[in-house]
Amino acid sequence: ASDVYKRQMAGFFCEQGASTPLPCETGTFGNATNLEAPDQCHVCPLGHYCEGNTSVPAKCPAGTYQEQYSQTSCEPCTPGYYCPEGSTTPIPCQGGTYGNGTDLASSDNCTDVAYGEWAPTGAALPERCFTGFYCPGRADDTENTPPGSKPIIVSEGGSTETKEALRKTMSLEMD
């Protein structure tokens, strides 16, 4: 009977003389038939999870990641970061954006900072602009790369723009 099992059941192994197949352990998978020992099951790879008696490791769903081998589940993505399907590590939201959640799946889920805010790389929430600085928001920031990633210092003690002015003179005579 064990020969029949060995030929038909991926995700299981059948030791010599066993009457029924045994599942590959949790954290491993068996992608072939005719496995004869538990060490023939493969370690679950990074970015995947293996619940046991499986023939194919499952990719971590978008919004989660797995940075260790032989795992049975995936971790929620870190706030300020996003995790596409099969992620092995979270990817930070770019400076000028932030990610207030643990289920972000792509950079499109990161939110642009608004006027009066800035955000460094990997920010979960935007920062308020400091006194003496200007924060135009991501859409209007032409100073920083990436836009909105840090406050812009305001110049002090002089004019930064020259404009033409019309000069008028008047005279007044008094008796």
Side-chain angles (χ1 to χ4, degrees), residues 15-169:
E15 292 181 321
Q16 186 69 27
S19 60
T20 58
L22 298 170
C24 287
E25 294 178 11
T26 56
T28 67
F29 69 99
N31 62 350
T33 57
N34 297 323
L35 301 181
E36 297 176 349
D39 63 355
Q40 291 179 323
C41 297
H42 302 286
V43 170
C44 197
L46 303 177
H48 294 74
Y49 66 98
C50 300
E51 294 178 326
N53 75 336
T54 185
S55 60
V56 178
K59 281 186 178 181
C60 288
T64 67
Y65 72 101
Q66 186 47 259
E67 60 187 358
Q68 297 180 19
Y69 293 100
S70 301
Q71 298 303 303
T72 59
S73 64
C74 299
E75 300 296 323
C77 206
T78 308
Y81 292 71
Y82 62 94
C83 299
E85 180 183 42
S87 289
T88 59
T89 187
I91 302 166
C93 288
Q94 186 179 43
T97 68
Y98 62 95
N100 185 16
T102 58
D103 60 350
L104 283 80
S106 76
S107 61
D108 293 340
N109 299 133
C110 300
T111 305
D112 289 353
V113 294
Y115 177 84
E117 300 175 337
W118 67 281
T121 299
L125 294 169
E127 300 285 335
R128 293 189 69 174
C129 204
F130 308 116
T131 302
F133 289 83
Y134 173 63
C135 298
R138 183 173 174 84
D140 295 323
D141 186 347
T142 58
E143 299 285 321
N144 294 311
T145 303
S149 60
K150 59 186 177 182
I152 301 165
I153 194 163
V154 175
S155 301
E156 290 185 48
S159 173
T160 57
E161 188 174 340
T162 305
K163 288 191 174 187
E164 293 282 328
L166 182 61
R167 185 173 192 196
K168 283 191 171 190
T169 52

